[in-house]
Amino acid sequence: MSFFNYQSKNIYYTETGNGKPVVFLHGDTASSKMFEPMLPLYKEHFNVILVDFLGHGRSDRVSEFPADLWQEEARQTVALLEHLDRGKVSLVGSSGGAWAAVNAGLLRPDLVEKVVADSFDGRRLAENFVENLLKERAGAKLDEQAVWFYQWCQGEDWERIVDMDTKALVKCAEEKMPLFISPLSELKCPLLLMGSMGDTMTRTDIQDEYDAIAGETGADICLFPEGAHPAVFSNAEQAAYVIREFIMRA
């Protein structure tokens, strides 16, 4: 196992495979374990780097998550890229990790080659975000499969992590905090927006939102007609093909 130090805490990461370096960024309440079943689809093409954000998985715990969680996770991502010292690295962020990936690209265009943003709400949270989040989290705690996922990703303290994440996201939404460190139009690296039309955890107008982002950034868009949350998992083989083509493209 490998760790690097960030603000006096240890962040866990691991590497496998050969080729261009690509960092995969997990979503809220998850950890890098969410990507492990998909490694065979990527490791023959890329040097795959997985990381657990602070407070998740095998990284050190924190007392609370900040309301600007996705901006803070971008700063952790930048710290990882500086630690790795590989030059420009591509990022694949899923759900909450998508905001972290885009923010990292905005922060340090000298370190980020390309960004894949999968299954996220885009420039702003939906109007009913808080209502849907609280309902989804309450239901998940009673769902055997969801609890298994939380435990698998986080360990025995999963419920505390889920509650901290919920509190941070509710504050972010209620205070209408900016989701990006700077305007999306300032993003210098190529961007791929990915998602599933069948995803009930993202905004219902995701096609329109992605089109609007593409208008600002020139992003590519890949929306699968079916699939749950996130697309990188529910459409694993197709998503891997699209991601490989996007990152390898000159």
Side-chain angles (χ1 to χ4, degrees), residues 174-229:
E174 290 182 342
E175 296 186 4
K176 299 186 184 302
M177 299 185 67
L179 305 183
F180 296 107
I181 287 172
S182 56
L184 274 176
S185 58
E186 296 181 6
L187 186 67
K188 305 299 183 185
C189 60
L191 173 64
L192 169 63
L193 303 169
M194 179 175 287
S196 299
M197 298 302 293
D199 186 349
T200 60
M201 294 180 67
T202 54
R203 59 193 310 144
T204 56
D205 60 344
I206 190 170
Q207 177 75 68
D208 293 339
E209 178 63 16
Y210 278 12
D211 285 343
I213 294 173
E216 294 185 38
T217 63
D220 293 353
I221 298 174
C222 176
L223 281 169
F224 300 105
E226 299 178 348
H229 187 83

Short mmCIF file of all heavy atoms in Angstrom, two decimals, residues 174-229:
data_model
loop_
_atom_site.label_atom_id
_atom_site.label_comp_id
_atom_site.label_asym_id
_atom_site.label_seq_id
_atom_site.Cartn_x
_atom_site.Cartn_y
_atom_site.Cartn_z
N GLU A 174 -27.80 24.38 0.15
CA GLU A 174 -28.62 25.42 0.78
C GLU A 174 -27.96 26.79 0.71
O GLU A 174 -28.65 27.81 0.60
CB GLU A 174 -28.92 25.03 2.23
CG GLU A 174 -29.87 23.84 2.35
CD GLU A 174 -30.19 23.47 3.78
OE1 GLU A 174 -29.45 23.90 4.70
OE2 GLU A 174 -31.18 22.76 3.99
N GLU A 175 -26.64 26.82 0.76
CA GLU A 175 -25.92 28.10 0.69
C GLU A 175 -25.57 28.47 -0.75
O GLU A 175 -24.92 29.50 -0.97
CB GLU A 175 -24.67 28.04 1.56
CG GLU A 175 -24.97 27.86 3.04
CD GLU A 175 -23.74 27.94 3.91
OE1 GLU A 175 -22.63 28.21 3.39
OE2 GLU A 175 -23.87 27.73 5.14
N LYS A 176 -26.00 27.61 -1.69
CA LYS A 176 -25.75 27.85 -3.12
C LYS A 176 -24.29 28.17 -3.40
O LYS A 176 -23.94 29.15 -4.10
CB LYS A 176 -26.66 28.98 -3.64
CG LYS A 176 -28.15 28.65 -3.51
CD LYS A 176 -29.00 29.71 -4.16
CE LYS A 176 -30.49 29.43 -3.95
NZ LYS A 176 -30.90 28.11 -4.47
N MET A 177 -23.43 27.35 -2.83
CA MET A 177 -22.00 27.55 -3.00
C MET A 177 -21.59 27.20 -4.43
O MET A 177 -22.17 26.30 -5.05
CB MET A 177 -21.23 26.67 -2.01
CG MET A 177 -21.53 26.97 -0.57
SD MET A 177 -20.50 26.03 0.57
CE MET A 177 -18.89 26.75 0.24
N PRO A 178 -20.61 27.91 -4.98
CA PRO A 178 -20.13 27.58 -6.33
C PRO A 178 -19.52 26.19 -6.35
O PRO A 178 -18.81 25.80 -5.42
CB PRO A 178 -19.09 28.67 -6.62
CG PRO A 178 -18.66 29.16 -5.27
CD PRO A 178 -19.87 29.04 -4.39
N LEU A 179 -19.80 25.44 -7.39
CA LEU A 179 -19.30 24.07 -7.49
C LEU A 179 -17.93 24.01 -8.13
O LEU A 179 -17.23 23.00 -8.02
CB LEU A 179 -20.29 23.21 -8.28
CG LEU A 179 -21.73 23.20 -7.75
CD1 LEU A 179 -22.59 22.24 -8.58
CD2 LEU A 179 -21.78 22.82 -6.28
N PHE A 180 -17.55 25.10 -8.80
CA PHE A 180 -16.27 25.13 -9.49
C PHE A 180 -15.41 26.28 -8.98
O PHE A 180 -15.93 27.36 -8.65
CB PHE A 180 -16.48 25.24 -10.99
CG PHE A 180 -17.19 24.05 -11.58
CD1 PHE A 180 -18.50 24.15 -11.99
CD2 PHE A 180 -16.54 22.82 -11.69
CE1 PHE A 180 -19.16 23.04 -12.52
CE2 PHE A 180 -17.19 21.72 -12.21
CZ PHE A 180 -18.51 21.82 -12.63
N ILE A 181 -14.13 26.06 -8.97
CA ILE A 181 -13.18 27.03 -8.46
C ILE A 181 -13.13 28.28 -9.33
O ILE A 181 -12.92 29.39 -8.84
CB ILE A 181 -11.79 26.37 -8.33
CG1 ILE A 181 -11.81 25.40 -7.14
CG2 ILE A 181 -10.67 27.38 -8.19
CD1 ILE A 181 -10.58 24.53 -7.01
N SER A 182 -13.32 28.10 -10.62
CA SER A 182 -13.34 29.21 -11.57
C SER A 182 -14.31 28.86 -12.69
O SER A 182 -14.77 27.71 -12.78
CB SER A 182 -11.93 29.49 -12.11
OG SER A 182 -11.38 28.32 -12.70
N PRO A 183 -14.65 29.80 -13.56
CA PRO A 183 -15.62 29.52 -14.63
C PRO A 183 -15.19 28.34 -15.51
O PRO A 183 -14.01 28.20 -15.84
CB PRO A 183 -15.67 30.83 -15.41
CG PRO A 183 -15.28 31.87 -14.42
CD PRO A 183 -14.25 31.22 -13.54
N LEU A 184 -16.17 27.53 -15.91
CA LEU A 184 -15.87 26.38 -16.75
C LEU A 184 -15.24 26.79 -18.08
O LEU A 184 -14.47 26.03 -18.67
CB LEU A 184 -17.15 25.58 -17.02
CG LEU A 184 -17.55 24.54 -15.99
CD1 LEU A 184 -18.88 23.91 -16.36
CD2 LEU A 184 -16.48 23.46 -15.88
N SER A 185 -15.56 27.98 -18.54
CA SER A 185 -15.00 28.46 -19.80
C SER A 185 -13.48 28.58 -19.74
O SER A 185 -12.82 28.66 -20.78
CB SER A 185 -15.61 29.80 -20.17
OG SER A 185 -15.39 30.76 -19.14
N GLU A 186 -12.91 28.58 -18.52
CA GLU A 186 -11.47 28.69 -18.36
C GLU A 186 -10.76 27.33 -18.40
O GLU A 186 -9.53 27.28 -18.34
CB GLU A 186 -11.13 29.41 -17.06
CG GLU A 186 -11.62 30.85 -17.03
CD GLU A 186 -11.27 31.57 -15.74
OE1 GLU A 186 -10.55 30.98 -14.91
OE2 GLU A 186 -11.74 32.71 -15.56
N LEU A 187 -11.52 26.24 -18.53
CA LEU A 187 -10.92 24.92 -18.57
C LEU A 187 -10.11 24.76 -19.86
O LEU A 187 -10.64 24.92 -20.96
CB LEU A 187 -12.00 23.84 -18.49
CG LEU A 187 -11.51 22.39 -18.38
CD1 LEU A 187 -10.83 22.16 -17.03
CD2 LEU A 187 -12.68 21.41 -18.54
N LYS A 188 -8.84 24.43 -19.73
CA LYS A 188 -7.94 24.36 -20.88
C LYS A 188 -7.83 22.97 -21.47
O LYS A 188 -7.50 22.81 -22.65
CB LYS A 188 -6.54 24.85 -20.47
CG LYS A 188 -6.50 26.24 -19.86
CD LYS A 188 -7.00 27.29 -20.82
CE LYS A 188 -6.88 28.69 -20.21
NZ LYS A 188 -7.48 29.73 -21.07
N CYS A 189 -8.08 21.94 -20.68
CA CYS A 189 -7.86 20.57 -21.15
C CYS A 189 -9.12 19.99 -21.80
O CYS A 189 -10.24 20.41 -21.48
CB CYS A 189 -7.40 19.67 -20.00
SG CYS A 189 -8.57 19.57 -18.64
N PRO A 190 -8.97 19.03 -22.71
CA PRO A 190 -10.14 18.37 -23.30
C PRO A 190 -11.00 17.70 -22.24
O PRO A 190 -10.49 17.14 -21.27
CB PRO A 190 -9.51 17.34 -24.24
CG PRO A 190 -8.16 17.89 -24.55
CD PRO A 190 -7.70 18.56 -23.30
N LEU A 191 -12.32 17.76 -22.45
CA LEU A 191 -13.29 17.26 -21.48
C LEU A 191 -14.26 16.31 -22.15
O LEU A 191 -14.77 16.60 -23.24
CB LEU A 191 -14.05 18.43 -20.86
CG LEU A 191 -15.23 18.13 -19.93
CD1 LEU A 191 -14.76 17.41 -18.67
CD2 LEU A 191 -15.96 19.43 -19.57
N LEU A 192 -14.51 15.17 -21.52
CA LEU A 192 -15.55 14.23 -21.95
C LEU A 192 -16.61 14.15 -20.87
O LEU A 192 -16.31 13.83 -19.72
CB LEU A 192 -14.95 12.84 -22.19
CG LEU A 192 -15.95 11.68 -22.39
CD1 LEU A 192 -16.81 11.91 -23.64
CD2 LEU A 192 -15.23 10.34 -22.46
N LEU A 193 -17.85 14.45 -21.22
CA LEU A 193 -18.98 14.34 -20.31
C LEU A 193 -19.69 13.01 -20.57
O LEU A 193 -20.06 12.71 -21.70
CB LEU A 193 -19.96 15.49 -20.53
CG LEU A 193 -19.38 16.90 -20.38
CD1 LEU A 193 -20.37 17.94 -20.88
CD2 LEU A 193 -19.00 17.18 -18.93
N MET A 194 -19.88 12.22 -19.53
CA MET A 194 -20.46 10.89 -19.68
C MET A 194 -21.61 10.71 -18.69
O MET A 194 -21.60 11.29 -17.60
CB MET A 194 -19.38 9.82 -19.44
CG MET A 194 -19.85 8.39 -19.55
SD MET A 194 -18.48 7.22 -19.38
CE MET A 194 -17.68 7.46 -20.97
N GLY A 195 -22.58 9.91 -19.08
CA GLY A 195 -23.70 9.63 -18.18
C GLY A 195 -24.65 8.63 -18.81
O GLY A 195 -24.43 8.14 -19.92
N SER A 196 -25.72 8.33 -18.07
CA SER A 196 -26.76 7.41 -18.54
C SER A 196 -28.11 8.10 -18.45
O SER A 196 -28.43 8.71 -17.42
CB SER A 196 -26.79 6.14 -17.68
OG SER A 196 -25.56 5.44 -17.75
N MET A 197 -28.91 7.97 -19.49
CA MET A 197 -30.24 8.56 -19.47
C MET A 197 -31.14 7.89 -18.44
O MET A 197 -32.12 8.47 -17.99
CB MET A 197 -30.87 8.48 -20.86
CG MET A 197 -30.12 9.24 -21.95
SD MET A 197 -29.94 11.01 -21.57
CE MET A 197 -31.66 11.53 -21.69
N GLY A 198 -30.82 6.67 -18.06
CA GLY A 198 -31.61 5.96 -17.06
C GLY A 198 -31.19 6.21 -15.63
O GLY A 198 -31.74 5.62 -14.70
N ASP A 199 -30.21 7.08 -15.42
CA ASP A 199 -29.68 7.37 -14.09
C ASP A 199 -30.67 8.24 -13.31
O ASP A 199 -30.91 9.39 -13.67
CB ASP A 199 -28.33 8.08 -14.23
CG ASP A 199 -27.62 8.29 -12.91
OD1 ASP A 199 -28.24 8.08 -11.85
OD2 ASP A 199 -26.44 8.68 -12.94
N THR A 200 -31.23 7.70 -12.24
CA THR A 200 -32.20 8.45 -11.43
C THR A 200 -31.53 9.32 -10.38
O THR A 200 -32.21 10.06 -9.66
CB THR A 200 -33.17 7.48 -10.73
OG1 THR A 200 -32.43 6.59 -9.88
CG2 THR A 200 -33.96 6.68 -11.75
N MET A 201 -30.20 9.26 -10.27
CA MET A 201 -29.48 10.04 -9.26
C MET A 201 -28.87 11.31 -9.83
O MET A 201 -28.23 12.07 -9.10
CB MET A 201 -28.42 9.17 -8.59
CG MET A 201 -29.00 8.04 -7.77
SD MET A 201 -27.75 7.01 -6.98
CE MET A 201 -27.04 8.15 -5.80
N THR A 202 -29.02 11.54 -11.13
CA THR A 202 -28.58 12.80 -11.72
C THR A 202 -29.80 13.58 -12.19
O THR A 202 -30.92 13.05 -12.23
CB THR A 202 -27.62 12.56 -12.89
OG1 THR A 202 -28.25 11.68 -13.84
CG2 THR A 202 -26.32 11.95 -12.42
N ARG A 203 -29.61 14.81 -12.59
CA ARG A 203 -30.70 15.68 -13.00
C ARG A 203 -31.43 15.10 -14.21
O ARG A 203 -30.83 14.44 -15.07
CB ARG A 203 -30.18 17.07 -13.30
CG ARG A 203 -29.13 17.12 -14.39
CD ARG A 203 -28.42 18.45 -14.44
NE ARG A 203 -29.35 19.55 -14.45
CZ ARG A 203 -29.12 20.72 -13.82
NH1 ARG A 203 -28.01 20.90 -13.15
NH2 ARG A 203 -30.02 21.68 -13.86
N THR A 204 -32.72 15.37 -14.30
CA THR A 204 -33.53 14.80 -15.38
C THR A 204 -33.22 15.45 -16.73
O THR A 204 -33.45 14.86 -17.77
CB THR A 204 -35.02 14.97 -15.08
OG1 THR A 204 -35.30 16.36 -14.86
CG2 THR A 204 -35.41 14.17 -13.84
N ASP A 205 -32.69 16.67 -16.71
CA ASP A 205 -32.36 17.37 -17.95
C ASP A 205 -30.86 17.28 -18.26
O ASP A 205 -30.26 18.25 -18.72
CB ASP A 205 -32.81 18.82 -17.89
CG ASP A 205 -32.14 19.59 -16.75
OD1 ASP A 205 -31.57 18.96 -15.83
OD2 ASP A 205 -32.17 20.84 -16.79
N ILE A 206 -30.26 16.12 -18.00
CA ILE A 206 -28.81 15.98 -18.13
C ILE A 206 -28.34 16.25 -19.56
O ILE A 206 -27.26 16.80 -19.76
CB ILE A 206 -28.35 14.58 -17.64
CG1 ILE A 206 -26.82 14.55 -17.55
CG2 ILE A 206 -28.90 13.47 -18.51
CD1 ILE A 206 -26.29 13.32 -16.85
N GLN A 207 -29.14 15.88 -20.56
CA GLN A 207 -28.74 16.15 -21.94
C GLN A 207 -28.59 17.65 -22.17
O GLN A 207 -27.59 18.11 -22.73
CB GLN A 207 -29.77 15.58 -22.92
CG GLN A 207 -29.47 15.87 -24.38
CD GLN A 207 -28.35 15.05 -24.94
OE1 GLN A 207 -28.46 13.84 -25.11
NE2 GLN A 207 -27.23 15.71 -25.27
N ASP A 208 -29.58 18.43 -21.73
CA ASP A 208 -29.52 19.88 -21.91
C ASP A 208 -28.34 20.48 -21.14
O ASP A 208 -27.66 21.39 -21.64
CB ASP A 208 -30.82 20.53 -21.44
CG ASP A 208 -32.01 20.17 -22.32
OD1 ASP A 208 -31.79 19.77 -23.47
OD2 ASP A 208 -33.15 20.29 -21.84
N GLU A 209 -28.11 19.98 -19.92
CA GLU A 209 -27.01 20.50 -19.10
C GLU A 209 -25.66 20.20 -19.75
O GLU A 209 -24.78 21.07 -19.84
CB GLU A 209 -27.08 19.91 -17.70
CG GLU A 209 -25.95 20.34 -16.78
CD GLU A 209 -25.93 21.84 -16.50
OE1 GLU A 209 -26.95 22.51 -16.76
OE2 GLU A 209 -24.89 22.33 -16.02
N TYR A 210 -25.50 18.97 -20.22
CA TYR A 210 -24.24 18.61 -20.88
C TYR A 210 -24.04 19.42 -22.16
O TYR A 210 -22.92 19.83 -22.48
CB TYR A 210 -24.21 17.12 -21.18
CG TYR A 210 -23.79 16.24 -20.00
CD1 TYR A 210 -23.70 16.75 -18.72
CD2 TYR A 210 -23.50 14.89 -20.19
CE1 TYR A 210 -23.32 15.95 -17.65
CE2 TYR A 210 -23.11 14.08 -19.13
CZ TYR A 210 -23.03 14.60 -17.87
OH TYR A 210 -22.63 13.80 -16.82
N ASP A 211 -25.12 19.64 -22.91
CA ASP A 211 -25.02 20.47 -24.12
C ASP A 211 -24.55 21.88 -23.77
O ASP A 211 -23.73 22.47 -24.49
CB ASP A 211 -26.38 20.54 -24.83
CG ASP A 211 -26.73 19.25 -25.56
OD1 ASP A 211 -25.83 18.43 -25.81
OD2 ASP A 211 -27.93 19.07 -25.88
N ALA A 212 -25.08 22.43 -22.68
CA ALA A 212 -24.70 23.78 -22.27
C ALA A 212 -23.22 23.82 -21.86
O ALA A 212 -22.50 24.77 -22.21
CB ALA A 212 -25.58 24.25 -21.11
N ILE A 213 -22.76 22.81 -21.13
CA ILE A 213 -21.35 22.76 -20.73
C ILE A 213 -20.46 22.63 -21.97
O ILE A 213 -19.41 23.27 -22.07
CB ILE A 213 -21.10 21.58 -19.77
CG1 ILE A 213 -21.83 21.81 -18.44
CG2 ILE A 213 -19.59 21.42 -19.49
CD1 ILE A 213 -21.77 20.64 -17.49
N ALA A 214 -20.89 21.80 -22.91
CA ALA A 214 -20.12 21.63 -24.14
C ALA A 214 -20.03 22.94 -24.90
O ALA A 214 -19.00 23.23 -25.54
CB ALA A 214 -20.75 20.55 -25.01
N GLY A 215 -21.07 23.76 -24.83
CA GLY A 215 -21.04 25.06 -25.48
C GLY A 215 -19.99 25.97 -24.89
O GLY A 215 -19.42 26.82 -25.59
N GLU A 216 -19.69 25.80 -23.59
CA GLU A 216 -18.69 26.61 -22.92
C GLU A 216 -17.28 26.06 -23.07
O GLU A 216 -16.31 26.82 -23.05
CB GLU A 216 -19.01 26.72 -21.42
CG GLU A 216 -20.26 27.47 -21.07
CD GLU A 216 -20.43 27.61 -19.56
OE1 GLU A 216 -19.41 27.82 -18.87
OE2 GLU A 216 -21.56 27.48 -19.07
N THR A 217 -17.17 24.75 -23.20
CA THR A 217 -15.86 24.10 -23.11
C THR A 217 -15.44 23.33 -24.35
O THR A 217 -14.28 22.91 -24.44
CB THR A 217 -15.86 23.10 -21.93
OG1 THR A 217 -16.83 22.06 -22.19
CG2 THR A 217 -16.19 23.79 -20.61
N GLY A 218 -16.36 23.10 -25.27
CA GLY A 218 -16.05 22.25 -26.43
C GLY A 218 -15.99 20.78 -26.08
O GLY A 218 -15.39 19.98 -26.80
N ALA A 219 -16.62 20.39 -24.98
CA ALA A 219 -16.54 19.02 -24.48
C ALA A 219 -17.20 18.02 -25.43
O ALA A 219 -18.16 18.34 -26.14
CB ALA A 219 -17.20 18.92 -23.11
N ASP A 220 -16.68 16.79 -25.43
CA ASP A 220 -17.36 15.66 -26.04
C ASP A 220 -18.44 15.18 -25.08
O ASP A 220 -18.32 15.34 -23.86
CB ASP A 220 -16.38 14.50 -26.29
CG ASP A 220 -15.34 14.83 -27.35
OD1 ASP A 220 -15.46 15.89 -27.99
OD2 ASP A 220 -14.41 14.02 -27.54
N ILE A 221 -19.50 14.55 -25.61
CA ILE A 221 -20.59 14.04 -24.79
C ILE A 221 -20.86 12.59 -25.16
O ILE A 221 -20.95 12.25 -26.34
CB ILE A 221 -21.89 14.86 -24.97
CG1 ILE A 221 -21.67 16.31 -24.54
CG2 ILE A 221 -23.04 14.24 -24.18
CD1 ILE A 221 -22.86 17.21 -24.82
N CYS A 222 -21.00 11.75 -24.14
CA CYS A 222 -21.42 10.36 -24.33
C CYS A 222 -22.48 10.04 -23.30
O CYS A 222 -22.18 9.90 -22.11
CB CYS A 222 -20.23 9.40 -24.19
SG CYS A 222 -20.71 7.66 -24.32
N LEU A 223 -23.73 9.93 -23.76
CA LEU A 223 -24.84 9.57 -22.89
C LEU A 223 -25.41 8.23 -23.35
O LEU A 223 -25.91 8.12 -24.47
CB LEU A 223 -25.93 10.65 -22.92
CG LEU A 223 -25.67 11.90 -22.08
CD1 LEU A 223 -26.67 12.99 -22.41
CD2 LEU A 223 -25.69 11.57 -20.60
N PHE A 224 -25.34 7.25 -22.48
CA PHE A 224 -25.86 5.93 -22.82
C PHE A 224 -27.38 5.93 -22.63
O PHE A 224 -27.89 6.54 -21.68
CB PHE A 224 -25.21 4.86 -21.94
CG PHE A 224 -23.72 4.79 -22.09
CD1 PHE A 224 -22.88 5.30 -21.10
CD2 PHE A 224 -23.15 4.21 -23.21
CE1 PHE A 224 -21.50 5.24 -21.23
CE2 PHE A 224 -21.78 4.14 -23.35
CZ PHE A 224 -20.94 4.66 -22.37
N PRO A 225 -28.12 5.26 -23.50
CA PRO A 225 -29.58 5.29 -23.41
C PRO A 225 -30.12 4.61 -22.15
O PRO A 225 -31.21 4.94 -21.69
CB PRO A 225 -30.04 4.55 -24.67
CG PRO A 225 -28.87 3.72 -25.08
CD PRO A 225 -27.66 4.50 -24.68
N GLU A 226 -29.37 3.67 -21.59
CA GLU A 226 -29.79 2.96 -20.39
C GLU A 226 -28.64 2.91 -19.39
O GLU A 226 -27.50 3.20 -19.73
CB GLU A 226 -30.25 1.54 -20.74
CG GLU A 226 -31.44 1.49 -21.68
CD GLU A 226 -31.83 0.07 -22.05
OE1 GLU A 226 -31.04 -0.86 -21.75
OE2 GLU A 226 -32.91 -0.12 -22.64
N GLY A 227 -28.98 2.51 -18.16
CA GLY A 227 -27.94 2.36 -17.15
C GLY A 227 -28.25 3.12 -15.89
O GLY A 227 -28.92 4.16 -15.91
N ALA A 228 -27.75 2.62 -14.78
CA ALA A 228 -27.95 3.25 -13.47
C ALA A 228 -26.76 4.14 -13.15
O ALA A 228 -25.99 4.52 -14.02
CB ALA A 228 -28.15 2.16 -12.42
N HIS A 229 -26.62 4.48 -11.89
CA HIS A 229 -25.59 5.41 -11.43
C HIS A 229 -24.42 4.63 -10.82
O HIS A 229 -24.63 3.77 -9.98
CB HIS A 229 -26.19 6.34 -10.37
CG HIS A 229 -25.29 7.43 -9.93
ND1 HIS A 229 -25.15 8.61 -10.62
CD2 HIS A 229 -24.46 7.53 -8.86
CE1 HIS A 229 -24.29 9.39 -10.00
NE2 HIS A 229 -23.86 8.76 -8.93
#
